[in-house]
């Protein structure tokens, strides 16, 4: 009898510990997802119930040319950012690891400082530096292109420049993750390989890269998820222009929901974006895990 009471008491304690998480998860994650799924099958406005229309929103989305343009721009942005930012972060982490003391702390602070800035501040800084008339970086662009370029009004330059801003802004976090991974590699391995005559390139190929690969895979996956959710930088720097050359999926959601008041259609786009992010990120992570086992 006493054993049964103890079991019930343990269960009550366990349920009381789990209940706050379940309540918060249901309120801020599960319920919104269910509501978005329901709204995506209606013609509801941003505030209101709407009528059931079935798959009409999804049929309309599949025939929307702007959707395919936005999807292409998202894919282009992923190519411009995910692998380059990971490679740059790895190079920075390898250099910072060789420093020590206050110099290392200063280097980390300098690289991490942009990450703590709000996106509005980041975009304003780069808008000033790349300003067509007074930007301090315009002479550099003039050397490359032969003339000053209004980068956020040029369809060929806008996405690469947004990618550059994004890499500068977010790379500090990647550097910290990779530096933590480098510090977890036992130094005994490097000392033993040095005694065997291995140079730094061989040590990187045979020790650093294989042992750091799980962290690299994590950074690549996080970056993929982050860059597929692109919105703030594009909205503040180019608003999707010029000629929809930087229009992305979440800008479609914003336009349909808050400018056109099409809540049902915006919910359908949101659900497609959510499924796209989940599918691509899980697929990439599994492929990276398989690559790491070889």
């Amino acid at each position: 009898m006493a054993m049964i009471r103890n079991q019930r008491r343990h269960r009550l304690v366990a349920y009381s510990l789990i209940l706050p998480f379940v309540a918060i998860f249901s309120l801020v994650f599960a319920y919104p997802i269910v509501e978005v799924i329901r709204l995506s099958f209606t013609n509801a406005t941003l505030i209101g119930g709407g009528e059931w229309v079935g798959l009409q929103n999804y049929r309309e989305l599949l025939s929307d040319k702007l959707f395919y343009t936005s999807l292409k721009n998202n894919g282009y942005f992923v190519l411009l950012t995910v692998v380059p930012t990971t490679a740059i972060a790895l190079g920075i982490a390898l250099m910072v690891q060789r420093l020590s003391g206050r110099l290392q702390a200063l280097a980390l602070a300098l690289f991490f400082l942009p990450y703590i800035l709000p996106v509005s501040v980041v975009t304003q800084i780069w808008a000033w530096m790349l300003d067509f008339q007074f930007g301090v970086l315009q002479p550099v662009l003039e050397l490359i292109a032969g003339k000053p370029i209004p980068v956020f009004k040029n369809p060929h330059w806008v996405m690469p420049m947004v990618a550059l801003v994004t890499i500068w802004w977010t790379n500090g976090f990647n550097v910290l993750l990779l530096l933590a991974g480098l510090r977890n590699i036992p130094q005994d391995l490097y000392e033993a390989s040095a005694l065997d005559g291995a140079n730094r390139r061989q040590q990187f190929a045979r020790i650093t890269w294989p042992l750091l690969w799980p962290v690299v895979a994590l950074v690549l996956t996080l970056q993929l998820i982050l860059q597929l959710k692109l919105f703030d930088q594009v909205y503040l720097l180019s608003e999707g222009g010029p000629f929809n050359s930087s229009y992305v999926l979440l800008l479609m959601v914003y336009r349909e929901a808050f400018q056109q008041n099409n809540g049902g259609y915006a919910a359908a786009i949101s659900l497609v974006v959510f499924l796209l992010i989940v599918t691509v990120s899980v697929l990439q992570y599994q492929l990276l895990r398989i690559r790491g086992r070889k």
Side-chain angles (χ1 to χ4, degrees):
M1 196 68 178
M3 185 178 297
I4 295 175
R5 290 178 181 175
N6 286 333
Q7 289 179 349
R8 289 177 178 175
R9 189 179 298 110
H10 288 314
R11 287 178 182 175
L12 289 175
V13 171
Y15 291 149
S16 65
L17 292 174
I18 295 173
L19 184 60
F21 168 77
V22 173
I24 295 173
F25 178 83
S26 301
L27 180 64
V28 304
F29 188 79
Y31 172 73
I33 287 181
V34 172
E35 188 65 12
V36 166
I37 294 173
R38 184 191 69 81
L39 284 174
S40 70
F41 294 102
T42 70
N43 62 356
T45 57
L46 187 60
I47 300 176
E51 298 178 356
W52 185 267
V53 295
L55 296 174
Q56 179 179 335
N57 288 326
Y58 295 97
R59 286 193 292 266
E60 183 179 347
L61 181 62
L62 292 177
S63 62
D64 192 340
K65 292 182 179 179
L66 186 58
F67 169 72
Y68 294 103
T69 299
S70 303
L71 188 63
K72 181 188 71 173
N73 290 335
N74 271 95
Y76 181 41
F77 188 77
V78 165
L79 292 177
L80 289 172
T81 53
V82 173
V83 173
T85 193
T86 305
I88 293 171
L90 178 58
I92 293 172
L94 289 170
M95 289 187 290
V96 170
Q97 188 191 28
R98 296 182 181 180
L99 304 176
S100 60
R102 294 182 179 179
L103 189 59
Q104 186 183 69
L106 177 62
L108 281 174
L110 289 175
F111 284 117
F112 192 73
L113 179 62
Y115 186 72
I116 66 176
L117 295 176
V119 64
S120 56
V121 175
V122 171
T123 53
Q124 189 64 58
I125 290 172
W126 281 89
W128 285 338
M129 291 196 298
L130 293 169
D131 184 80
F132 180 65
Q133 293 181 320
F134 310 108
V136 295
L137 293 182
Q138 276 297 331
V140 178
L141 295 177
E142 191 171 354
L143 287 175
I144 298 173
K147 60 181 180 179
I149 299 173
V151 291
F152 298 119
K153 296 181 180 179
N154 186 301
H156 302 293
W157 283 81
V158 59
M159 287 302 277
M161 287 299 105
V162 174
L164 177 64
V165 173
T166 302
I167 291 172
W168 179 83
W169 177 35
T170 61
N171 220 17
F173 181 68
N174 301 327
V175 171
L176 286 182
L177 288 177
L178 291 167
L179 188 61
L182 289 171
R183 288 177 174 174
N184 283 330
I185 299 176
Q187 292 301 312
D188 296 344
L189 297 177
Y190 293 104
E191 294 173 0
S193 64
L195 291 174
D196 290 336
N199 56 35
R200 286 184 175 178
R201 183 178 299 179
Q202 291 171 329
Q203 288 177 338
F204 177 81
R206 299 294 183 179
I207 299 174
T208 304
W209 183 250
L211 295 179
L212 192 63
W213 176 252
V215 181
V216 174
L218 174 64
V219 171
L220 286 169
T221 304
L222 292 176
Q223 283 300 306
L224 179 65
I225 296 171
L226 179 66
Q227 309 313 346
L228 284 173
K229 296 191 300 179
L230 173 68
F231 172 76
D232 300 352
Q233 308 94 291
V234 168
Y235 178 74
L236 293 172
L237 289 172
S238 67
E239 296 184 354
F243 312 116
N244 295 332
S245 58
S246 62
Y247 215 91
V248 291
L249 292 171
L250 289 186
L251 272 177
M252 283 192 69
V253 176
Y254 174 80
R255 186 194 69 170
E256 295 297 331
F258 298 102
Q259 294 178 341
Q260 304 295 330
N261 200 29
N262 295 328
Y265 191 49
I269 302 172
S270 300
L271 188 60
V272 169
V273 174
F274 173 75
L275 294 175
L276 176 67
I277 292 174
V278 171
T279 303
V280 173
S281 59
V282 170
L283 180 61
Q284 175 188 277
Y285 189 70
Q286 293 302 323
L287 290 175
L288 292 175
R289 284 186 61 189
I290 295 172
R291 160 67 177 79
R293 291 173 183 172
K294 292 182 179 180

